[in-house]
Amino acid sequence: MPIALFVLGLTIFSLGTTEFMIAGLLPELAQSFGVSIPAAGLLISAFAVGAAVGAPAVALLSTRLPKKTTLVVLLVVFLAGQVMAATAQTYEVLLVARVVTAVAQSAFFGIGAVVAADLVAPSKRASAIAIMFGGLTIATIAGVPLGAFLGQEWGWRAPFWVVNGLALIGLIGVITLVPPHRSTEEASVRDELAAFRSGRVWLGLATTALSQAALFGCYSYIAPLLTDVTGFSEGVVPVLLVLFGVGTLCGSVLGGRFADMNLMRTLWVGMVVLGVSLAAFSVTAHNKVLMTATLIVFGVAGFLINPGLQTRVLNEAKGAATLASAGNISAFNIGNAVGPWAAGLAISAGHGYLSPSWVAMAFAGCALITALAGSAVDAVERRRSPVADRTAREAPVTEAEAGIADELRPAATTAERSSR
């Protein structure tokens, strides 16, 4: 695999860390700015909104710009947003800084996926995307706990500066090691928008949003499930989350390889395993050993499908992939927001900490249905293709085509005689 993929992965690690680390810094932020914990939590919501809106907006505005140039500009904007956040003296400034970094981050994810896919042969697209987004997976394992540790030891501003240093290394790597985007298909704004006329693109986006709602709907409330239902102590929860993170890393790597072999089958299997693991929580949550095993399987299944989700949308966009890729990043963020919200409603209704897994299982089932619907549409179009080819072969020959055929016939006859 090209070294540029690993440069993109390192950059994604720093961008992903800044998104998730804020959850571990809420107490320090609330105390520093004199706001409540829920108000500090709006910093997470603001980031999600900025990410959902920013990716497609930047993709449209940068259609005519070279992809590498766009990535460099986005990293510069991200660095500026991080400096703004690290030096913020008021809550409002930090809130704006979070939106700025979210826009740059999500747009980098979307455009970076297009660049990563074009760095390799079409048969290796999913593996390339898995390597790039592996940085995001590692951020959930190491980056987030590291951010919380730095915040507790040296104050909440320290993690922002550390992430800025990593992003600066990523910027240098992108400038020096990522080659210019060499796609042979340059799409206009009209072409990019036209990709959304395809029902398969919308089914792909729906599958992404629903599957992520399933994943994060359960994961967002996994800590109280582990402590209040399974009976783990609070000190053991970080270790269990690391095991979950190891599962997500394995799932991402395996998902890339399997999706390159059979993309849709990987999605089907991944979603079935995801649904089964969510259903299993109701049985295994009362046994510490079984719950630990289920948590790891849940991590593998949740990330097994991610490379395939992004690759499917890129494939369906047919030469106008930038906006579709950015739209898929928005779909990820929409799912990340809707899943925890719906699961939170179930908890608030008094159904307990197992209810998020039931809500998530419903989302996983809907995601499987949209994936199967996309496959059905593919099958219908494949059946139509031979008919279209046969129609083309049986179509009347025009005078111009007949003339060309007459000119080529003597040369073909000569070549045939020579072969004998």
Side-chain angles (χ1 to χ4, degrees):
M1 288 290 183
I3 190 172
L5 287 175
F6 297 95
V7 170
L8 292 171
L10 170 64
T11 309
I12 291 293
F13 169 76
S14 62
L15 272 60
T17 298
T18 201
E19 177 179 0
F20 297 117
M21 72 181 185
I22 205 75
L25 301 173
L26 289 184
E28 290 82 3
L29 289 166
Q31 182 179 6
S32 178
F33 292 109
V35 298
S36 65
I37 292 290
L42 290 177
L43 296 169
I44 299 175
S45 301
F47 194 100
V49 172
V53 175
V58 173
L60 277 177
L61 293 173
S62 63
T63 299
R64 296 188 179 276
L65 290 177
K67 297 288 186 293
K68 179 176 178 178
T69 302
T70 304
L71 293 180
V72 170
V73 171
L74 289 171
L75 284 176
V76 171
V77 173
F78 178 83
L79 287 166
Q82 283 290 103
V83 170
M84 184 179 178
T87 59
Q89 299 301 313
T90 66
Y91 170 81
E92 291 75 17
V93 171
L94 180 58
L95 190 67
V96 172
R98 290 287 289 171
V99 174
V100 170
T101 53
V103 170
Q105 182 234 47
S106 60
F108 188 96
F109 282 11
I111 296 172
V114 177
V115 173
D118 284 336
L119 286 172
V120 298
S123 61
K124 297 294 183 182
R125 271 185 156 191
S127 293
I129 291 173
I131 290 174
M132 176 182 161
F133 282 99
L136 183 62
T137 306
I138 295 173
T140 65
I141 303 172
V144 176
L146 179 61
F149 171 78
L150 292 174
Q152 293 170 1
E153 294 294 323
W154 290 287
W156 67 265
R157 299 180 193 273
F160 285 91
W161 289 117
V162 171
V163 168
N164 233 22
L166 293 173
L168 182 60
I169 295 173
L171 172 61
I172 296 171
V174 170
I175 292 174
T176 57
L177 297 175
V178 174
H181 187 246
R182 296 189 298 270
S183 177
T184 57
E185 298 176 318
E186 295 297 333
S188 64
V189 173
R190 180 179 296 179
D191 293 333
E192 295 285 353
L193 290 172
F196 287 90
R197 296 175 184 170
S198 169
R200 290 184 299 178
V201 169
W202 284 106
L203 285 170
L205 296 176
T207 303
T208 296
L210 291 166
S211 62
Q212 295 309 293
L215 173 62
F216 284 95
C218 182
Y219 177 70
S220 298
Y221 301 97
I222 202 70
L225 175 62
L226 293 171
T227 55
D228 292 18
V229 178
T230 310
F232 284 108
S233 65
E234 292 184 357
V236 177
V237 171
V239 177
L240 295 171
L241 294 182
V242 169
L243 292 177
F244 170 83
V246 172
T248 65
L249 182 60
C250 294
S252 183
V253 173
L254 292 174
R257 294 180 179 178
F258 292 154
D260 281 332
M261 293 185 286
N262 193 314
L263 192 152
M264 291 310 301
R265 186 176 298 169
T266 301
L267 291 180
W268 302 336
V269 172
M271 285 177 216
V272 169
V273 176
L274 177 61
V276 170
S277 65
L278 289 167
F281 278 130
S282 296
V283 178
T284 63
H286 303 285
N287 181 290
K288 292 181 179 180
V289 174
L290 294 178
M291 181 60 174
T292 302
T294 306
L295 185 64
I296 296 172
V297 174
F298 173 53
V300 173
F303 279 69
L304 182 72
I305 59 179
N306 283 358
L309 292 171
Q310 189 73 15
T311 303
R312 176 161 175 77
V313 171
L314 287 174
N315 292 345
E316 297 299 347
K318 299 187 183 302
T322 303
L323 184 57
S325 177
N328 205 44
I329 298 300
S330 292
F332 273 104
N333 282 282
I334 291 170
N336 295 351
V338 171
W341 170 76
L345 291 179
I347 294 174
S348 299
H351 298 297
Y353 288 120
L354 268 173
S355 60
S357 63
W358 307 335
V359 174
M361 188 168 54
F363 279 123
C366 292
L368 178 61
I369 290 172
T370 57
L372 291 172
S375 297
V377 173
D378 286 343
V380 170
E381 293 194 359
R382 280 197 301 270
R383 284 197 296 268
R384 288 177 178 174
S385 295
V387 175
D389 293 342
R390 186 170 63 252
T391 301
R393 287 194 301 269
E394 294 173 356
V397 179
T398 64
E399 293 182 4
E401 290 171 337
I404 294 174
D406 290 340
E407 292 178 4
L408 293 177
R409 189 174 294 111
T413 303
T414 302
E416 184 180 351
R417 288 173 180 171
S418 298
S419 65
R420 294 175 182 172

